[in-house]
Each structure stands twice: as structure tokens, then as C-alpha cells.
Amino acid sequence: MRLLPLLFIAGCGSTAPTGSTAPTPACPKCEPSTASPPVTPSIDDAAVTTKSRAFLDAVDKRDLAAFKASIATTFGMFELGRTRSVPWIITGLQSAIDRKAPPNARTCRGETVRRSATMAVYTGLCTETIPAFDGADAASFEGWSVLVWVVEDGAWKVTHWTWAPGGEDNNIEYWDNAFAQKRHVPFKRTPNQHLIDSVKGLKPGTAIDMAMGQGRNAIYLAAQGWKTVGIDYSEEGLKIAQETAAKQKLKLQTILHDMETYDYGVGKYDLVSMIYVTATPQLIQKTKAATKRGGYWVYEFFSKGGVMSAPGFAPGELAKLFSDWKIVKDEVVEDIGDWGLRKSKIQRFVARKP
């Protein structure tokens, strides 16, 4: 095998005898390539702005062909502390198409562009308007969109999109606006079926509903005879829950507080409802301590690695956190999530404290 390079070199050299003045023939395989490097198409600030508006318009109108044609193979999105994959976005757009939801509208201001020879970054503060549809009121909100453009296959394409609440919005105000206008993120407004199934046949006691929002699950528990407490940092969500409970002549205690820092006490609840909550191991330990002996901890959320890109748990991780409890249910299924209303991997878990 060591002879092969020598043979190759000999084949590329002269065949003239020693001392010959004949020129050495060229070796095509040995000469460097003379192919021209790909040309980066030029673009100015106005063109970046126009292309960015067209991309956002494709999303608002659910134009899947235009969206796919505009993104690079490395495309990703980041919003509200979460990454969003291409499949996640496409399934959301397709879901809106299937439901025949009217297109959204968007007007942007404060637009800026920064460019280099191979990259362009667009930033705009946009007011998004969502029409009334399917029983939900019309809504509008502000958000910053940052689009990063790169050249791929001779064309400028979006490789990254960041969205963040704009104006005076922050995460709490975002959810206040969501619950007040009922149309920020598509979500199920009736009680969670897994929770319904989990408490069926149980003797009602004290319950706490984590991240209760507008109270769809807390109100259901109260109607079933549970002495229910709901905690959330959205004042608007708690207000709606209290109004709904009053109309139904139900008793419901609400707590306006950050779930992570609240003191839940020890042995206070017969039921902890953890439905579509971003639960950290620290929060889980606090709620485990707050559960009475014989009490239940009920959980449903997106499984880690699913299309929703949510910070959930991988299969088996919750079971390890509850290794000292009796595991009643631990499954991951393909189903329509209560939040986002799209098919994804859903984790359903129930454990009982010994």
C-alpha cells in the first residue's frame, strides 16, 4: 500500500529521459482548482427590511410555502425562554389552517438593520393583531422580532428568529394580557381530562392548583367538593377565576405569588394539581413536602424532546424524583396538548405519598 503514493507521483511527473530538455507535461490532478468562489448576493438595509416584513407576513398568513422558502437549514426560533423548532412552527401554522382561523396582522416600527458582507440582522417592534375567532375575542400585543439573515445556496435566508414581549410587557403582563383577551396562546378552556380521570372516585379534601391561570382546573375541583387553592403570578388570571367561581357560587382561594418562591408549608394538601406547569426539581420537592400522607400529585405537560420544545422531563425522570412515593401512572403519549392545541408527546404522571 505504501507504493500507491509513489506510483501516483511518478504518473504526474515527466516521462522524458534524464537530461532531456523536453518540458514536463502538466498534471491536471496536481493543479489547484481555478473555480470561482460563490458570489454573495448584495443587499441593502431597505431590502433586509422588506424581506423581514415578508417573512413575518408569511407567518401571519400561514403561507407554509413562503415560510419554508425563506428559512435556512439551520433555522431556529427563541421566545419566552424557549426554543422553537421548525416542526413546532409548521404544526402550529397547519393547525391554524385546519381550524380555518383568519390571518393575523402585524405593523412594525422602530426597525433597524445591521449588516456585514455575509450577515444581516433586522430588529423591529411590531404590534400583532389577532382577529376574533371560535369564541375568542380579538387581541393585540406588542413584541420585538429579531431576524438573522445569512446567505445559503446563493440566497438570503433567515437562520434565527427571536421574539420577546415589547413595550411595557414582561412575562407577568404577557399572561395578564393573554387571560384578559382570551387569545394570546391557543389553549383549552375546559378542565384537563387527565386531572378529571385522576381524581375520579377520590374523597375530596384540600387541593392546590399550580399556575392556575384563569382557573379552568381549580374551578372544576371546587365544583367536585375540593377545598381548593390556586396560585399564579397573573393577577388578571386570578381575577377571572374568582369571577367565574362567584358566578357558580363556589368557594375558591387564590394566591398571587411566584410559585418558585412561595412557602407551601408541610403536609397541607390532599392533592397537588400540576397541569401544564414548568416544574423545576426544586418546585417539585416543595410541593411534595406540602402534600399530606396518602395525598396525590397529578402532572401533565409536554415531554422533553417533543415538538413543543418545552422544558419538560424525559421519560423516567419524574419517577426518579418520586422514588419514595407510589407511582400510580407514568406514561408518554401522542396527543393534543392543552396549550398550543397541537399534537405532541404528552407526559402524564400520578404519584401517591405513602
Side-chain angles (χ1 to χ4, degrees):
M1 297 297 292
R2 288 178 179 270
L3 295 176
L4 292 178
L6 297 177
L7 292 172
F8 175 77
I9 293 172
C12 289
S14 171
T15 57
T18 304
S20 172
T21 58
T24 302
C27 178
K29 294 182 180 180
C30 299
E31 292 184 357
S33 172
T34 57
S36 301
V39 177
T40 300
S42 61
I43 194 168
D44 58 19
D45 290 3
V48 174
T49 300
T50 298
K51 291 179 72 66
S52 298
R53 290 177 179 176
F55 171 81
L56 296 172
D57 190 57
V59 173
D60 292 335
K61 293 181 178 178
R62 290 104 191 193
D63 187 339
L64 291 177
F67 172 76
K68 293 177 181 178
S70 299
I71 61 174
T73 55
T74 53
F75 177 84
M77 183 183 183
F78 184 81
E79 66 169 356
L80 296 177
R82 297 181 181 178
T83 57
R84 305 299 193 188
S85 65
V86 172
W88 185 92
I89 297 173
I90 289 177
T91 54
L93 296 177
Q94 187 63 56
S95 174
I97 293 171
D98 295 342
R99 291 185 291 117
K100 295 181 171 55
N104 300 338
R106 187 185 316 239
T107 57
C108 301
R109 65 185 190 278
E111 296 164 296
T112 62
V113 174
R114 292 170 290 156
R115 286 183 296 116
S116 69
T118 57
M119 180 181 293
V121 180
Y122 164 90
T123 304
L125 178 59
C126 304
T127 300
E128 300 178 47
T129 302
I130 303 175
F133 176 70
D134 197 24
D137 297 337
S140 63
F141 54 93
E142 286 187 332
W144 288 99
S145 277
V146 180
L147 301 176
V148 180
W149 294 84
V150 297
V151 176
E152 184 177 279
D153 297 330
W156 286 93
K157 297 188 177 183
V158 182
T159 187
H160 185 77
W161 178 16
T162 293
W163 186 91
E168 297 183 4
D169 281 348
N170 56 33
N171 205 33
I172 295 175
E173 291 173 344
Y174 176 92
W175 289 111
D176 279 346
N177 190 52
F179 293 126
Q181 301 193 45
K182 300 189 295 184
R183 179 62 184 225
H184 215 33
V185 177
F187 66 93
K188 183 180 179 182
R189 292 172 174 80
T190 54
N192 175 263
Q193 188 61 48
H194 171 54
L195 178 63
I196 294 173
D197 295 340
S198 298
V199 301
K200 185 177 181 180
L202 297 182
K203 180 181 178 181
T206 54
I208 184 166
D209 185 31
M210 309 292 292
M212 69 171 292
Q214 90 295 11
R216 65 189 182 110
N217 293 314
I219 289 171
Y220 171 79
L221 292 173
Q224 303 305 307
W226 291 84
K227 185 178 180 181
T228 308
V229 176
I231 182 170
D232 204 295
Y233 58 27
S234 170
E235 186 173 3
E236 190 64 37
L238 299 186
K239 176 183 175 183
I240 294 172
Q242 285 285 14
E243 291 174 349
T244 304
K247 289 178 183 178
Q248 297 185 23
K249 295 180 170 54
L250 298 172
K251 290 184 178 181
L252 176 65
Q253 180 185 351
T254 55
I255 301 171
L256 180 64
H257 208 287
D258 187 319
M259 293 185 302
E260 290 287 343
T261 59
Y262 185 72
D263 182 3
Y264 297 93
V266 177
K268 293 180 62 176
Y269 302 105
D270 297 292
L271 173 67
V272 174
S273 169
M274 191 81 70
I275 306 297
Y276 289 88
V277 179
T278 303
T280 63
Q282 294 77 16
L283 179 60
I284 289 175
Q285 293 304 323
K286 292 175 72 172
T287 55
K288 284 178 65 179
T291 306
K292 293 180 180 179
R293 290 189 177 276
Y296 289 82
W297 197 90
V298 180
Y299 172 94
E300 178 173 311
F301 196 58
F302 303 105
S303 180
K304 189 175 183 179
V307 71
M308 289 296 290
S309 302
F313 293 95
E317 287 184 340
L318 275 177
K320 290 181 180 178
L321 293 174
F322 284 84
S323 60
D324 53 338
W325 287 33
K326 179 182 178 181
I327 308 300
V328 178
K329 177 184 284 188
D330 186 7
E331 64 180 18
V332 176
V333 298
E334 287 279 347
D335 206 347
I336 302 297
D338 286 7
W339 286 90
L341 300 179
R342 68 188 73 192
K343 182 169 284 189
S344 186
K345 291 182 179 179
I346 306 297
Q347 185 170 26
R348 293 174 178 143
F349 183 89
V350 181
R352 187 182 187 189
K353 191 171 185 175

